[in-house]
Amino acid sequence: MVTWRGARSGTVVTVALAGTVLAGTVLTGTVLAGTSSGRDGTARPVADTGRAAAGPLSGKVIVIDPGHNGLNYRYPKVINRKVKAGPFKKACDTTGTSTASGYAEHAYTFDVATRLAALLRAKGATVRLTRPNDRGVGPCIDERAAIGNRAHADAAISIHADGAPASKRGFHVILPGYLKGYTGPIVAPSKRLGYDVRDAFRRGTGEPYANYVAKNGIDVRTDLGGLNMSKVPKVFIECGNMRNGTDAGRLKSASWRQGAAKALATGLARYLAR
């Protein structure tokens, strides 16, 4: 995120601009089987086998939403178009933020999402990502929510990293607030999900609660389309502040990202075991 109170996430499934089809367009509901590691430590998707392993999460469906996308910055007209975000409209998506050295939020979120997908599938879960790679545009915030809705997900999580002032640091989890006609049915289960994710992430990563927003690592919002349009339990997590030197060092570390994915998997499994 460019600012911690700004608009988030968004979409296209297939888009053409000036006669050119966007590369890496999003295929909704794509399932990733696992990961391999590149020489730079970045997790890379492995072809889907169509089968989940037998395990404690067998029969559970989890949707992972890696925030933003790698080509969003090239198509401002696409990501700035307004889409339904509850009883109001917001921009389809944003470009996200980056560290001072240029490590982009969209790359971070996809890397962690891919690692998390592999861990959850190993536990038997069916996992769907809202985008299959980091070379496309979107999808929009309403479509990101719709992917979880169509999958009848048992839980959904949107992964982000913040762009707050450099002197601030820490992580926080965002829960949907009550919005009549929209979030009522998911407020209570999303709260349980959010607290389980918060507790597991803090224990698993050692990252402190954010010291510039939220309280004890928990924020409640009604302005995020990705939550407002969800019909399944869903939370956002801002894993750290990319503009802070300490947080940036962690977010750029492949081993720390693997630990973050493990912590998120633990939190999701705990919620699903209730």
Side-chain angles (χ1 to χ4, degrees):
M1 292 295 297
V2 176
T3 61
W4 62 96
R5 286 289 181 184
R8 305 171 194 243
S9 318
T11 154
V12 281
V13 175
T14 302
V15 174
L17 286 179
T20 302
V21 178
L22 301 183
T25 44
V26 170
L27 302 174
T28 61
T30 298
V31 181
L32 296 184
T35 63
S36 61
S37 295
R39 292 182 179 178
D40 60 356
T42 300
R44 306 192 189 287
V46 172
D48 178 26
T49 64
R51 298 184 303 275
L57 296 182
S58 293
K60 301 297 185 181
V61 177
I62 302 170
V63 169
I64 306 172
D65 176 28
H68 314 290
N69 208 332
L71 294 184
N72 281 6
Y73 75 98
R74 290 188 183 179
Y75 299 97
K77 289 183 179 180
V78 174
I79 65 168
N80 288 332
R81 71 182 181 88
K82 302 298 184 182
V83 300
K84 191 170 176 61
F88 48 83
K89 290 188 174 182
K90 293 184 74 169
C92 161
D93 205 352
T94 67
T95 58
T97 188
S98 67
T99 67
S101 63
Y103 182 51
E105 180 185 3
H106 62 78
Y108 168 81
T109 65
F110 188 72
D111 181 274
V112 173
T114 304
R115 295 173 187 273
L116 177 57
L119 293 168
L120 293 171
R121 287 184 63 87
K123 294 178 181 290
T126 296
V127 181
R128 300 184 185 277
L129 272 68
T130 58
R131 56 186 176 98
N133 55 51
D134 197 39
R135 302 182 301 277
V137 180
C140 295
I141 52 178
D142 58 340
E143 176 60 18
R144 290 176 189 258
I147 292 169
N149 298 342
R150 290 194 296 266
H152 302 288
D154 295 287
I157 186 167
S158 188
I159 300 172
H160 287 265
D162 221 342
S167 61
K168 307 299 183 180
R169 65 167 302 211
F171 83 97
H172 65 285
V173 175
I174 304 172
L175 314 180
Y178 177 76
L179 202 56
K180 186 177 180 180
Y182 290 91
T183 60
I186 70 165
V187 167
S190 296
K191 182 178 180 179
R192 293 192 294 271
L193 170 62
Y195 274 80
D196 284 338
V197 167
R198 181 203 65 175
D199 293 347
F201 196 80
R202 190 176 192 190
R203 281 195 295 268
T205 67
E207 185 74 359
Y209 297 146
N211 60 6
Y212 60 95
V213 68
K215 182 179 180 180
N216 295 325
I218 294 290
D219 198 8
V220 179
R221 294 175 60 172
T222 57
D223 63 320
L224 298 178
L227 295 179
N228 294 345
M229 300 300 289
S230 181
K231 300 182 185 302
V232 302
K234 184 175 182 180
V235 298
F236 278 46
I237 183 167
E238 297 281 3
C239 297
N241 176 18
M242 297 197 101
R243 309 305 295 176
N244 174 271
T246 300
D247 278 2
R250 295 184 174 196
L251 297 169
K252 291 189 293 183
S253 164
S255 61
W256 190 89
R257 294 195 302 271
Q258 184 65 20
K262 288 180 179 179
L264 292 174
T266 297
L268 285 160
R270 184 167 297 140
Y271 167 76
L272 293 170
R274 288 179 181 272

